[in-house]
Amino acid sequence: MFRRLATALGASQAARELRWMRAAAAVAGATDLDAMVARRVRGEPLQYILGTQPFGPLNLLARPPVLIPRPETEHWVTKLADSLAPSVHNPVSLLDLGTGSGCIPLLLCHLWPPGTVRAHAVDISPHALRLAQDNAALCGISSRLCDPKTPHNTFSVSTANLLAHDFAETASRIHSSYDIITSNPPYIPWKEYLELSRSVINFEDPKALFGGPSGLEFYHAIARFVSSKNILKPDALVALEVGHDQASTVESIMLATGKFQRTEIWLDPWGKRRTVIARTRADIL
Amino acid sequence: MSSPEDIARLRHIKESERLADAWALWTHTHEQLKDTSALLVDPDPAMRALAADEITALAASLNTIATETFPSLLVPPSPTAALSALMELKSGVGGSEASLFLADMLRMYQRLAANTHWRAAVVASNPAEGGGTKDAVVEVVGAGAYDALRWESGVHRVQRVPATEASGRTHTSTVAIVVLPLPDESAAPDASLFSMSDIKLEVMRSRGAGGQHVNKTESAVRLTHLPTGITVSMQDERSQHQNRRRAFQVLTSRLMDRKLTAEMEARRDSRRSLVKGADRSEKIRTYNYAQDRVTDHRIGLTMKNLTSVMEGDGIQHFINAVERHHAEGVMLDMLEE
């Protein structure tokens, strides 16, 4: 069993993954170890086999074909949580575009103090929205303000197509305008898509990865969206994850809207320019 | 309203309560002994026999109070009594045989933890090719875990015929153990130990384009504490966040250990202390399978029935003996001051 895995993954990675699979198989009612190893050897992502992916202090569910949360995303969302301090007296409204598993808004709802954020997430995939809702339940984040006496953060979902011409209207109907907009939109260009590893291309949703021929289609759509009337509050922040070589271009796209006074680019732990942060006002936190 | 004097007095009374109780027990037992002695000359032989038994028991009680209860009241409470422990085990000399013995020792400590109601969890381990464990890090959570397990730091030597040895020759191999204090995770990080600006955090593998392009679990991290050069690598958890947390935990343990060791050396009882600075390369115990015995070299204690140590509760006896030796050393130092 170990040998088959080691051939596919290399010895030390195989040893680690086998240990995790063993631990999962030991839980009552789980599928047996042999079946898990067989699936892994065929290239299926470990996260789908185990059904979970740790993300910050959360342990999120992972289900095909919804995009598995990446460590790069874990890193910038944690940094974002540390850089802003929303207050209970003035809760922020947050919109996450293309939420997938819900990892971005859910981690923020978990890290920020209770009652400081009203998060809403959209995705075109019903699979993703169902998973995001399951993850919200797992994290104990409800979709409505249940008890006015106990402050808590809220997370709700709805179906939407970011590329639709009326997306801005759809978004306005949920919240009149937003303090924070986050997104890890599909950003892989066609050329690179063809070179992706088997475990990505065969198992994760292409709609969550493919960003059009240039890979930038969604960033243009987001630029149009934030330029729409009343989408951004006067003191708003937009945080966008980007592909390995897209940071400068996406930064330019956002600056070209004329809506932002200040932008910055955050590095990920592997030294890639991974996140574009755009602020409407230079002096806000 | 209590004045500061009242509070100090109350504390004094509380502390001397234990001494007062012990003294009361001593006096009472002594009285009983005197009364029972009178019956030793009773005409009834049955009565004399009963009295003799009773006196033996009472004398033993008095002995315990004199040699254990009173002295223990003199030893100051351990400043590290509340701390949990982080045990690092590494195979030394002996290759795969050392790794097999390491796996045996792991089981021994896990059993000890279970019996003592501590929570033991292997947080990192590397399997050896022969089937044992090359190295492992175990978290033992519970009050008193550090105080008990700190005496396991050092080199453990095993002499036995390896399972893989065809010719039946005895081999000697070693396992090195380092036990570090483990601070309570829920407690705020000890600002006096380190600051984030002293830390370099690195990821260990390249991810190519990374992000959406890659869904491999690549969570290995390496932490370097720049002022001391201590590095901690962690890759056994499934996310960056989790590995980072564990790495900081191990770093905190190592730094706290340095601090405690330095404090101990500064104090006078380091002269008699068994934890001699950073000399963890000392051979502290030999496990001899052929002769079925375990010897602790620091206190010269040998126990027969090696199985009781490796598979039973024997290890507890060694720990108690070494702890007692340490406590006696502390007391002697105190008396000399």
Side-chain angles (χ1 to χ4, degrees), chain A residues 211-280:
Chain A
S214 64
L216 299 167
E217 204 165 302
F218 284 88
Y219 297 110
H220 290 298
I222 291 172
R224 281 193 300 275
F225 171 57
V226 301
S227 304
S228 309
K229 209 154 181 285
N230 295 328
I231 287 297
L232 292 175
K233 288 237 180 87
D235 276 341
L237 179 147
V238 176
L240 303 175
E241 183 174 320
V242 301
H244 62 109
D245 59 358
Q246 297 172 323
S248 302
T249 313
V250 173
E251 189 184 29
S252 306
I253 293 173
M254 298 310 285
L255 282 168
T257 63
K259 289 277 185 182
F260 303 103
Q261 282 183 4
R262 192 176 124 205
T263 59
E264 61 186 279
I265 293 172
W266 289 350
L267 294 179
D268 71 17
W270 289 270
K272 293 282 194 287
R273 300 163 86 237
R274 188 58 68 187
T275 316
V276 174
I277 304 287
R279 292 175 163 95
T280 53

Side-chain angles (χ1 to χ4, degrees), chain B residues 254-270:
Chain B
R254 298 227 180 115
L255 290 175
M256 188 178 283
D257 175 62
R258 276 171 70 107
K259 190 168 153 208
L260 287 173
T261 309
E263 282 172 6
M264 212 172 206
E265 280 175 339
R267 287 205 309 260
R268 288 185 56 183
D269 63 353
S270 70

Side-chain angles (χ1 to χ4, degrees), chain B residues 137-311:
Chain B
V137 179
V138 188
E139 213 183 64
V140 185
V141 178
Y146 173 68
D147 276 1
L149 294 172
R150 60 189 161 164
W151 311 121
E152 300 303 292
S153 290
V155 174
H156 298 246
R157 184 172 59 172
V158 59
Q159 290 165 327
R160 68 181 182 185
V161 179
T164 50
E165 173 70 30
S167 69
R169 253 183 330 134
T170 301
H171 286 231
T172 300
S173 34
T174 63
V175 171
I177 295 184
V178 174
V179 178
L180 305 171
L182 186 66
D184 187 358
E185 240 205 316
S186 58
D190 191 342
S192 68
L193 282 178
F194 67 88
S195 80
M196 282 309 292
S197 57
D198 294 334
I199 306 287
K200 182 168 82 164
L201 197 58
E202 293 165 283
V203 291
M204 281 164 33
R205 264 176 271 279
S206 157
R207 267 173 73 81
Q212 290 170 13
H213 290 72
V214 180
N215 64 14
K216 251 171 78 176
T217 304
E218 218 118 51
S219 49
V221 300
R222 178 171 49 227
L223 207 69
T224 308
H225 181 244
L226 299 162
T228 59
I230 294 176
T231 59
V232 180
S233 299
M234 198 56 68
Q235 57 184 0
D236 282 24
E237 303 281 347
R238 290 180 56 205
S239 74
Q240 280 264 305
H241 170 89
Q242 289 173 337
N243 277 326
R244 200 171 297 190
R245 224 186 56 197
R246 284 254 178 250
F248 272 104
Q249 194 186 43
V250 172
L251 178 70
T252 308
S253 285
R254 298 227 180 115
L255 290 175
M256 188 178 283
D257 175 62
R258 276 171 70 107
K259 190 168 153 208
L260 287 173
T261 309
E263 282 172 6
M264 212 172 206
E265 280 175 339
R267 287 205 309 260
R268 288 185 56 183
D269 63 353
S270 70
R271 282 186 287 115
R272 285 181 220 272
S273 167
L274 296 160
V275 183
K276 293 188 190 69
D279 187 7
R280 298 238 169 85
S281 55
E282 227 188 284
K283 275 199 246 311
I284 59 167
R285 212 177 283 143
T286 297
Y287 304 73
N288 191 317
Y289 277 64
Q291 292 168 359
D292 192 31
R293 59 164 196 237
V294 184
T295 305
D296 194 303
H297 304 293
R298 296 165 292 185
I299 54 178
L301 175 66
T302 297
M303 261 182 77
K304 288 235 118 203
N305 193 354
L306 184 141
T307 319
S308 78
V309 173
M310 298 305 297
E311 310 285 337

Side-chain angles (χ1 to χ4, degrees), chain B residues 44 48 109 136 161 248 273 318 337:
Chain B
D44 180 357
R48 287 203 299 275
Y109 290 118
V161 179
F248 272 104
S273 167
F318 277 105
E337 274 174 27

